[in-house]
Amino acid sequence: MIEQQTDISIEVRNITKTFPGVKALSDVNLSVAKGTVHALCGENGAGKSTLMKILTGNYQPDGGRIFINGKETVIKSQKHARDLGIGIVYQERSLVKNLSVAENIFTGNEPRNQLGFIKYRELFAKATVLLKKLNININPQVKVATLSPGLQQMVEIAKALSQQPRVLILDEPTASITETETKILFEIILQLKKQGTAIIYISHRMTEIFKICDVVSILKDGCYQGTYQCEEITIDDVIKKMVGREMKQIDVTSFIQNETAIEVRNASGNGFSNISFSARKGEIIGITGLVGAGRTELVRAIFGADELASGEVYLNGAAVSINHPSQAIKNGIAYLPEERKEQGLFMDMGIADNIISGNLSAVAKHNLLNKKLIKTAANSYVRQLAIKTPSVSTKVANLSGGNQQKVVLARWLALNPTVFIVDEPTHGVDIGAKYEIYQLLQNLAKTGSTIILISSELPEVLALSDRILLMYKGTITGCIPRLLASEELIMEYASGLKKDSAQMQQVA
Amino acid sequence: MNLKRYIQPALLYSVALLPLVFSGCDESRVVDKSQKKESVMVNSDEEYVMVTTAINFPMYVNHDQAAFKRWGNEHGVKTSILGPSDWDVAAQISTIEQVIGSKPAGLLINGTDPGIAQVINKAVDAGIPTVVYDADIPNARYHAFLGTDWYEIGRLQGEAMAKLLNGKGKVAYLGILGMTNMDDGYRGLQDVFKKYPQITIVGRYDDKANVEEAAHITSDLLRAHPDLAGICGFDGMSGPGIGLAIREANKAGKVKVTAVDWEPEHLQMVKAGIIDHLVGQKRELFTWYGAQFLFDMKHKINTLTADDEKAGIVAVPHKVNTGLIEINKDNIDQFLKN
Amino acid sequence: MKKLLQEREAFLAIAIVLICIAASIAWPGVFPTFDNLSQVLLNLSIDAIVAVGMMLLLISGSFDLSVGSVVAFSGGITAYLLYYCGMYPLPAVLIGMSAAALVGFINGYLVAKAGINPMIQTLAMMGIIRGAALMISGSGIQNLPADFNVLGQSNFLGLQSPVWVMLLVVFSFDFLVSKNIFFRRYYYIGNNEKAAMLSGIKVQKLKITGFILASLLAGLAGILLASRLGASLGTSGKGMELRVITAAILGGASLSGGEGRIMGALLGTIFMAVISNIMIIARVSGYWQEMVLGLILILAVWIDIVLKDPRGLSLKARFTKLKTS
């Protein structure tokens, strides 16, 4: 741990933030010095985003103090944060695509004349100066929509820098840009560092962190794990501290049976190509890779939610044609989507309505819904999955993340799926519910269902999967059996460093 | 958003305006609208209801409704004007149906569409004096009808046009296609032109009673037929639309224009020499005498038998043609002075 | 009490009863008569039939602006066939209804499959079909045959047939939409279309069906109207689309979908019809009516937002919050 009191630009002490059902941050400390690049590491859901949202005034902490240049400050709003000199480049784009680069950079503080009209000449001149200073070669008059994702990222950074922030937060800045663009970005970061800007750099990419950052702080499950100089620590140590929670020992017996349940041959579609794999009854097969590797696209196509351009899917040895989720469901395939709120739930409807949504006929007599059947079915799943709710008619929107996810699970369990695809099943779910969900998936495997588990959380994949398929840029690059798997090996495949030959992949 | 930013100035403005509103009014400036001339003893609760459609259509407001209200004031009875604000005949019908239930002293109905025949009969059957004005409604058993002869409107326009053109040239027709009264007008026009073999009609165009549409069609016509000699307009908006396009093309006086109605914009165009001849209706008379008929029926002013009702006699004229107005540069000043 | 008020249907029903009581006191000899009330029912029956279809679409998260034009169009086609072709009523009605269904299918197909925004699609269709209706019926087709007029003019228990048809439509759809598993799916689509699709609901097919049903009901309304008037008017149903959407939203629907009940559509229509009846009795001019209905709509939706606020903020608390933000 470092002790550095001088030149601290921003510091948080004992910050705590709770959301219904989840403790997002507990007692977190962080201090960022001027002229340093400070990495913030942690798994998804570790609390990085929440912390940044507190620093930018989006959230108010439940407890703890914030110091800016040594002075205790309450950050009231986004605007206040900007005025305090805190700039952020979000992971999601905040640009207006149909406006020019210059207009985007100076949104809200364009140079104006007395009548309130924008002085375009001055606007473009200012933008040109700023972009030149940053060594970014973009014409400020072109529309943002015409730029590549990488250049758009540069515009985002320019936008943040137009306010001349003293603290700049970069949230996964390299997630969607090419290597050359990454190089330019790093040059800009170094330049800012020289000027004395404090930079908070959030990324999952360890190599990048060790290339550009001076200091690294680690969060795990909302708890602060310490701050280290980059020279003093190794990648392995950081990963260990990020993921090294005491996993409740999960039973590792596998329930694999002999018959093949699902086989995918030469599947290609939007975002993935030439994918072949098979899974047996009772098997839990993990699919992992970086964001954008094509995992979700692949399973959506198998489920019929997106188009499968070519390739075949076999269930229990027979070819099936699936063009719509309804056909997948008829064939016993279920899919728990990645974005629970956007794709999984009917937020303004009750728990019972959500649970029965996959199969209304099951709770109907002569095509008419039967209140009694609905209630029995809903109650039985609420009990079985220990969903905490006052009643089955409670709106799903009023439940915590973990209970919401259980509602989605209940819907699919009600269909007794033979193949259950779960996409990030524990995303944004608290620890307790997480283990309940793991247990549930294993119990399902025990009864002979095949589970395809997509997850970015490596400990989860390692703990549950009988086999792990690795995807990189839309193809399967490897297949690791449980006994050989380790986080390091997975990361090597996932980042494209390692790739099995085609023969090796046949094992899959 | 900071609402305060908007509320405060808005309040300030309103407060600043208040004294203006009060100081800007003077009791003595209010026109006395109630010059009652009591002749027949009437109950001031006695109510005559006019039901029209497109209730705020300027021509209706300025002529029909103004005269009806004036009539009510002079006789010391209540007048109400009801109907939808759009041209919605079904809504007019449903309004009439609901008015019937409240048993007014008399019902004055704008004959907007032949589809209202049934509801007119319903009013008559309910024992309410019922008068229809403007367009005649076939199969309606109204007590009286006041209107004009559209065939005559067409004929007068035709005669005026033939005179303006000295009996030869190309003429175009604008109006609403598919309206019975305008079809009658077109027949009148055609019958006149039959006498002048050198006048040819280049076509009938639908301006949908819309100024822009009429202007559009006219400018297209002027380009397509450089030798176009005259245009006849048959709905209220034809005249202003044609005039607009003629003025923009600098063809005033070169292309002769005849049209219907005499709203201020029509009159201005006659004065400016853009429209040469107008044929107008006496709409004020429709509603004035229409209301008077209702009043006479209600108060049995004229009785022809011991009991007209039992005898099945209606003691007001059955169909009245209020006649037409012709306006050209010779008499335009009298209209503008009005 | 608050819970009761949160049920829009109950809220509306109470409001209607209160307004009727007030009107009966103010105009004892005019308002609460059987003649007047049956007239109100007759006049609202056409709107209510169309509102049922609109409610179904609103539940599924979409709406149809072309219904008013379809009213004129189907009535026009039927009248044309009866009057100019001398067709018997039954085939003429069936052809009129199929024409309406076709319009619904085109709307639904282009919205669901081609992804055209329902607002744009049905706005365009509103113009197209209105034009077609004016072309067919011109200045109107009068003197429709008596055996056709029987449909809309016969009386049963003192009420004219459109009222009975309306009640039949409302109650059967109310039953189906609240119980039947096919119709129940519209709630899921309206609540979250993506999740509905991933739950195996055939979203596109249902959407197309929804548009067809809405159009069919508008077609039925148009034919009933023509039969009731004994004439088809090119301008009938003008402005009806917004009136009907207003009624449905008053009745508990939301433009974002997933909410509302068929019975709410009827109550919303009744509410508007009673208000407009009172204004006619009170001799209030046409434009006032539209203003009053507009204000009522804003008020109703606002009350709803306040009552349903998950934060449970009172009206006063909302204002203070608005000020500080």
Side-chain angles (χ1 to χ4, degrees), chain C residues 238-306:
Chain C
K238 225 176 183 182
M240 183 192 259
E241 52 286 330
L242 294 183
R243 205 163 60 231
V244 162
I245 291 176
T246 308
I249 288 179
L250 270 176
S254 120
L255 277 186
S256 49
E259 277 180 81
R261 277 190 254 166
I262 298 299
M263 205 47 85
L266 174 64
L267 288 167
T269 319
I270 292 179
F271 184 86
M272 288 175 61
V274 167
I275 295 279
S276 113
N277 178 251
I278 289 174
M279 294 182 86
I280 287 174
I281 290 175
R283 303 293 186 251
V284 180
S285 213
Y287 23 79
W288 279 100
Q289 290 193 29
E290 295 185 11
M291 276 174 63
V292 168
L293 285 175
L295 289 173
I296 288 171
L297 179 65
I298 293 174
L299 198 69
V301 174
W302 193 31
I303 289 174
D304 207 46
I305 291 171
V306 174

Side-chain angles (χ1 to χ4, degrees), chain B residues 1 3 47 49 55-56 80 82-83 85 87-89 93-94 97-99 102 113-115 118 122 139 178, chain C residues 30 39-40 43 138-139 142-143 153 228-231 233 235 238 243 277 280 283-287 290 322 325:
Chain B
M1 192 181 69
L3 207 66
E47 187 197 26
V49 180
I55 194 164
N56 34 16
S80 304
L82 295 174
S85 48
W87 185 278
D88 183 346
V89 177
I93 293 171
S94 91
E97 279 173 332
Q98 294 180 60
V99 168
S102 61
D113 192 291
Q118 264 193 24
K122 200 167 169 181
N139 303 310
Chain C
V30 185
Q39 196 58 58
V40 170
N43 282 318
S139 60
Q142 284 78 38
N143 296 323
Q153 294 180 13
R228 190 199 134 194
L229 300 177
L233 314 172
T235 57
K238 225 176 183 182
R243 205 163 60 231
N277 178 251
I280 287 174
R283 303 293 186 251
V284 180
S285 213
Y287 23 79
E290 295 185 11
L322 212 63
S325 69

Side-chain angles (χ1 to χ4, degrees), chain B residues 27 44 63-64 69 107 111 241 257 272 274 300 308:
Chain B
E27 201 59 32
S44 63
H63 299 271
D64 316 9
K69 279 186 194 156
L107 197 48
V257 179
I274 297 166
K300 301 192 168 65
D308 285 351

Side-chain angles (χ1 to χ4, degrees), chain C residues 54-55 99 133 154 171 208 214 232 242 257 302 322:
Chain C
M54 190 65 81
M55 184 57 107
S154 38
F171 284 100
I208 295 174
S232 106
L242 294 183
W302 193 31
L322 212 63

Side-chain angles (χ1 to χ4, degrees), chain A residues 209-491:
Chain A
I209 288 177
F210 277 82
K211 201 163 154 194
I212 190 81
C213 298
D214 307 303
V215 190
V216 52
S217 288
I218 299 155
L219 286 179
K220 187 191 82 182
D221 298 332
C223 297
Y224 176 64
Q225 302 295 308
T227 299
Y228 308 89
Q229 294 288 348
C230 280
E231 302 102 62
E232 295 169 359
I233 194 168
T234 62
I235 294 187
D236 282 352
D237 288 336
V238 173
I239 291 181
K240 232 174 250 162
K241 287 186 193 301
M242 270 166 57
V243 298
R245 70 172 68 87
E246 294 148 60
M247 282 284 235
K248 221 194 273 175
Q249 203 50 50
I250 294 182
D251 198 357
V252 286
T253 30
S254 64
F255 310 101
I256 304 183
Q257 301 175 14
N258 267 330
E259 310 93 287
T260 300
I262 182 167
E263 186 177 358
V264 175
R265 282 190 207 155
N266 306 319
S268 297
N270 187 14
F272 59 93
S273 61
N274 208 20
I275 303 274
S276 300
F277 72 90
S278 68
R280 285 184 282 174
K281 281 190 178 168
E283 184 174 9
I284 299 181
I285 183 164
I287 302 182
T288 191
L290 295 177
V291 170
R295 303 168 302 177
T296 299
E297 290 81 351
L298 168 67
V299 291
R300 275 179 66 93
I302 294 174
F303 189 61
D306 290 328
E307 200 191 352
L308 191 62
S310 66
E312 301 95 48
V313 176
Y314 297 84
L315 286 174
N316 301 321
V320 287
S321 139
I322 295 171
N323 301 314
H324 188 275
S326 60
Q327 288 162 328
I329 291 168
K330 244 179 235 149
N331 282 304
I333 305 178
Y335 171 59
L336 178 117
E338 178 180 21
E339 292 166 323
R340 179 167 64 233
K341 285 182 189 166
E342 286 75 24
Q343 305 183 357
L345 287 167
F346 305 96
M347 295 297 279
D348 286 330
M349 296 175 89
I351 293 175
D353 282 330
N354 271 278
I355 291 177
I356 63 168
S357 65
N359 190 0
L360 293 178
S361 341
V363 288
K365 280 180 184 165
H366 312 294
N367 284 335
L368 298 177
L369 288 175
N370 184 306
K371 270 194 185 150
K372 220 166 134 194
L373 286 178
I374 294 174
K375 220 168 171 185
T376 325
N379 275 322
S380 93
Y381 282 104
V382 165
R383 227 174 305 120
Q384 198 183 323
L385 303 188
I387 299 172
K388 289 183 204 85
T389 171
S391 93
V392 291
S393 54
T394 304
K395 272 189 189 178
V396 168
N398 299 334
L399 298 180
S400 72
N403 282 312
Q404 288 182 346
Q405 191 70 313
K406 286 186 194 169
V407 171
V408 190
L409 280 164
R411 174 204 306 161
W412 295 118
L413 294 181
L415 292 168
N416 289 320
T418 52
V419 175
F420 193 10
I421 306 167
V422 287
D423 198 346
E424 302 286 3
T426 60
H427 217 157
V429 160
D430 55 281
I431 296 268
K434 242 178 204 181
Y435 286 103
E436 287 176 58
I437 290 171
Y438 294 158
Q439 206 64 56
L440 211 107
L441 292 175
Q442 287 194 316
N443 287 344
L444 201 59
K446 206 174 184 172
T447 63
S449 296
T450 303
I451 290 164
I452 301 177
L453 167 71
I454 296 177
S455 177
S456 302
E457 293 192 31
L458 299 185
E460 180 171 297
V461 178
L462 285 167
L464 290 172
S465 314
D466 294 310
R467 264 184 313 152
I468 301 163
L469 293 179
L470 281 315
M471 279 188 81
Y472 178 71
K473 288 191 173 167
T475 57
I476 290 182
T477 52
C479 171
I480 316 171
R482 186 205 293 271
L483 289 174
L484 302 178
S486 71
E487 291 203 14
E488 289 75 15
L489 190 57
I490 290 176
M491 283 315 290

